[in-house]
């Protein structure tokens, strides 16, 4: 049997602890399936004395992950620290420069420095694996990087943040407000004390940027993503969507258009009977549309210690099975030097149109004026419904519009015109509608 693969583990949080535990529990099986033992020989973590339920006494401890990457007796750096800068950046950079393989679950780091790291890894002839960085235990990176070779991907989209999906699911199923669901998510550990990164869509955007590069062979462009979070989704929106036959999900969407690549993250209405609409709680789902395979949907755990550790372990196993000098799969699917410059497309017309909710003062002519604003901007309406607002019916009413396919620009102009008429009681709500081809 070949010599052991020596792992330097940076970070012993939820994922790092799960990984260390699995490596020890499955040591014999992994040695057989990988053709060599896998051993943690170096560790860097904040608290060396904490009892985590497994033995790392034989591993060398380092005060910083950078020191471990620079001097540790290791073959692979496993970076599970998080963050786009600081120790994560420095340790990965040092490991690659030294010619070590790297495994990371850090989507923020890859969204910021992924192309640079890919170039360095390819120059050094080492592997940079990151399956756990997107959608937890779902093997979407391997699918795009290897399994779909030869396919031309036209669109990739999905539910990529368990926190947001949990909140939206609870709002719908239990009739709770956004604020109440967020507090529950924090209590259960699904949301951070400061949940902004998740609920405003940044986490999904980082994941989408990585998938976009893998799908379309372009430079990573995380700063070019149209971004909306879920903090403005109300229980009224949830109920209205249900009445119309839809459920609201936070989707990340990237698609190839004639004018470039479109990337967007926003709340979306999807038909209640579609498969992706049934993805509830902290579960993730990623759909890929391509010319040869057609439509592929992958669903599974998107977060959590075991799910993420499973993806990290798969990356380590790939390294253990690889042999020096063999041809490597490019880090980002396409050799880093051959990635195309990112060309941003304007957000195009949407097959499913838009949902618009307006809370208006109860004045004569309001209904007609709304319809006129739509017509003046070339927007065809599928339906228009007016509702009284319960006890406040004498003062305000709700108008719900569902449009046919139209452009973002037309919707924004129409809404701006409506806001200028001074009969709105609150800010308009605009949610895109997507009708997946096969899901």
């Amino acid at each position: 049997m070949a010599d052991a693969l020596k792992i330097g583990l940076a970070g012993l949080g939820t994922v790092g602890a799960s990984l260390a535990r699995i490596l020890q529990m499955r040591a014999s099986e992994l040695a057989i399936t990988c053709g060599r033992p896998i051993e943690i020989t170096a560790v860097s973590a904040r608290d060396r004395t904490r009892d985590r339920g497994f033995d790392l006494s034989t591993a060398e401890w380092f005060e910083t992950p950078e020191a471990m990457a620079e001097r540790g007796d290791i073959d692979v750096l496993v970076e599970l620290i998080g963050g786009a800068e600081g120790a994560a950046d420095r340790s990965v950079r040092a490991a690659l420069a030294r010619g070590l393989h790297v495994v990371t679950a850090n989507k923020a780091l890859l969204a910021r420095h992924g192309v640079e790291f890919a170039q360095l890894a390819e120059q050094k002839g080492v592997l940079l694996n990151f399956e756990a960085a997107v959608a937890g235990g779902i093997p979407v990176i391997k699918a795009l990087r290897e399994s779909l070779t030869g396919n031309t991907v036209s669109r990739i989209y999905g539910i990529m943040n368990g926190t947001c999906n949990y909140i939206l699911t609870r709002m719908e199923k239990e009739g709770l407000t956004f604020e109440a669901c967020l507090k529950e998510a924090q209590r259960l550990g699904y949301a951070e004390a400061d949940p902004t990164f998740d609920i405003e869509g940044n986490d999904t955007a980082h994941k989408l940027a990585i998938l976009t590069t893998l799908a379309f062979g372009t430079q990573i462009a995380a700063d070019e993503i149209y971004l909306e979070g879920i903090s403005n989704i109300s229980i009224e929106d949830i109920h209205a969507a249900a009445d119309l036959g839809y459920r609201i999900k936070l989707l990340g969407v990237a698609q190839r258009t004639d004018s470039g690549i479109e990337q967007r993250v926003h709340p979306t209405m999807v038909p209640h009977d579609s498969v992706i609409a049934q993805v509830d709680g902290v579960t993730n789902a990623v759909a890929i549309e391509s010319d040869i395979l057609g439509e592929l949907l992958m669903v599974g755990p998107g977060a959590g210690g075991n799910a993420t550790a499973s993806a990290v372990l798969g990356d380590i196993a790939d390294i253990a099975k690889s042999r020096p000098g063999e041809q490597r799969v490019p880090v980002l699917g396409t050799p880093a030097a051959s990635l195309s410059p990112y060309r941003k497309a304007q957000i195009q017309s949407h097959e499913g149109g838009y949902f618009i909710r307006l809370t208006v003062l109860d004045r004569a002519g309001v209904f007609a004026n709304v319809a006129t604003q739509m017509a003046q901007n070339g927007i065809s309406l599928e339906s228009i419904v007016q509702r009284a607002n319960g006890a406040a019916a004498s003062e305000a009413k709700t108008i719900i519009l569902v449009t046919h396919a139209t452009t973002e620009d037309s919707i924004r102009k129409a809404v701006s015109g409506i806001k200028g008429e001074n009969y709105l009681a609150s800010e308009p709500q605009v949610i895109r509608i997507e009708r997946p081809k096969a899901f």
Side-chain angles (χ1 to χ4, degrees), residues 128-143:
L128 169 57
N129 290 345
F130 51 93
E131 187 66 69
V134 180
I138 301 174
V140 63
I141 303 300
K142 185 177 287 289

Side-chain angles (χ1 to χ4, degrees), residues 367-437:
F367 200 86
N369 182 269
V370 169
T372 298
Q373 291 286 350
M374 295 291 134
Q376 288 177 346
N377 287 283
I379 299 170
S380 174
L381 294 175
E382 180 178 308
S383 65
I384 178 168
V385 178
Q386 180 173 299
R387 295 176 174 173
N389 285 357
S394 61
E395 299 179 1
K397 294 184 181 298
T398 297
I399 297 176
I400 294 174
L401 313 170
V402 176
T403 80
H404 289 292
T406 186
T407 64
E408 182 84 9
D409 185 57
S410 295
I411 290 292
R412 294 304 172 191
K413 286 180 178 177
V415 171
S416 178
I418 289 169
K419 291 170 71 172
E421 295 292 335
N422 297 318
Y423 52 67
L424 290 178
S426 62
E427 189 70 15
Q429 176 69 288
V430 177
I431 303 175
R432 292 159 196 79
I433 298 172
E434 297 275 354
R435 295 191 175 102
K437 291 180 181 179

Side-chain angles (χ1 to χ4, degrees), residues 135 138-144 148 156-157 159 279 283-288 296-300 439:
I138 301 174
V140 63
I141 303 300
K142 185 177 287 289
L144 285 169
L148 294 179
I156 186 165
Y157 65 95
I159 297 167
V279 178
T283 304
N284 280 197
V286 180
I288 303 169
L296 172 67
L297 178 66
M298 293 179 282
V299 180
F439 310 127

Side-chain angles (χ1 to χ4, degrees), residues 111 209 212-213 218-225 263 342:
T212 298
T213 291
T218 63
Q219 298 276 337
I220 294 175
D223 294 334
E224 300 295 335
I225 298 176
Q263 296 183 98
Y342 181 81

Side-chain angles (χ1 to χ4, degrees), residues 26-296:
R26 304 289 169 84
S28 298
E29 300 161 53
L30 289 168
I32 294 170
T33 56
C34 295
R36 61 195 300 194
I38 299 173
E39 300 175 358
I40 298 174
T41 59
V43 177
S44 178
R46 291 179 180 175
D47 186 355
R48 181 172 179 172
T49 61
R50 179 181 169 189
D51 182 5
R52 297 176 172 89
F54 48 83
D55 182 17
L56 288 177
S57 60
T58 60
E60 183 179 6
W61 282 75
F62 288 83
E63 290 297 320
T64 67
E66 302 99 297
M68 182 173 67
E70 291 167 353
R71 302 191 302 274
D73 181 17
I74 61 176
D75 303 307
V76 184
L77 172 73
V78 178
E79 184 275 306
L80 300 174
I81 308 165
E85 305 296 345
D89 175 33
R90 293 191 296 270
S91 60
V92 169
R93 200 176 296 274
L96 292 173
R98 186 182 165 191
L100 301 178
H101 302 294
V102 171
V103 173
T104 179
N106 192 336
K107 63 268 182 182
L109 182 69
L110 293 168
R112 179 68 58 85
H113 302 296
V115 174
E116 181 185 0
F117 289 163
Q119 289 174 331
L120 186 54
E122 288 165 13
Q123 288 168 6
K124 292 291 185 176
V126 296
L127 290 169
L128 169 57
N129 290 345
F130 51 93
E131 187 66 69
V134 180
I138 301 174
V140 63
I141 303 300
K142 185 177 287 289
L144 285 169
R145 198 160 66 167
E146 301 176 36
S147 304
L148 294 179
T149 299
N151 283 260
T152 297
V153 177
S154 57
R155 182 164 75 143
I156 186 165
Y157 65 95
I159 297 167
M160 304 176 202
N161 183 272
T163 300
C164 291
N165 205 43
Y166 171 83
I167 290 171
L168 292 172
T169 300
R170 290 289 303 276
M171 287 178 71
E172 179 189 8
K173 293 187 178 297
E174 301 182 33
L176 301 174
T177 65
F178 171 84
E179 290 76 16
C181 290
L182 175 58
K183 287 182 181 178
E184 182 67 4
Q186 289 172 317
R187 186 185 71 80
L188 294 171
Y190 296 148
E192 301 289 341
D194 179 1
T196 305
F197 194 74
D198 289 317
I199 65 174
E200 296 305 334
N202 302 92
D203 176 76
T204 298
H206 285 158
K207 296 170 182 175
L208 183 66
I210 296 166
L211 294 181
T212 298
T213 291
L214 288 163
F216 305 122
T218 63
Q219 298 276 337
I220 294 175
D223 294 334
E224 300 295 335
I225 298 176
Y226 177 86
L227 188 61
E228 288 180 27
I230 66 167
S231 57
N232 66 337
I233 298 295
S234 69
I235 194 65
E236 290 78 17
D237 297 323
I238 299 288
H239 290 160
D243 290 345
L244 293 165
Y246 296 100
R247 301 183 76 185
I248 298 176
K249 300 292 183 182
L250 182 76
L251 293 188
V253 182
Q255 60 188 27
R256 190 194 305 271
T257 74
D258 292 339
S259 62
I261 304 299
E262 175 185 325
Q263 296 183 98
R264 46 191 168 90
V265 173
H266 50 71
T268 309
M269 288 189 177
V270 293
H272 193 278
D273 59 358
S274 63
V275 175
I276 203 164
Q278 310 309 313
V279 178
D280 286 339
V282 295
T283 304
N284 280 197
V286 180
I288 303 169
E289 297 175 1
S290 63
D291 59 345
I292 300 175
L293 180 62
E295 290 84 20
L296 172 67

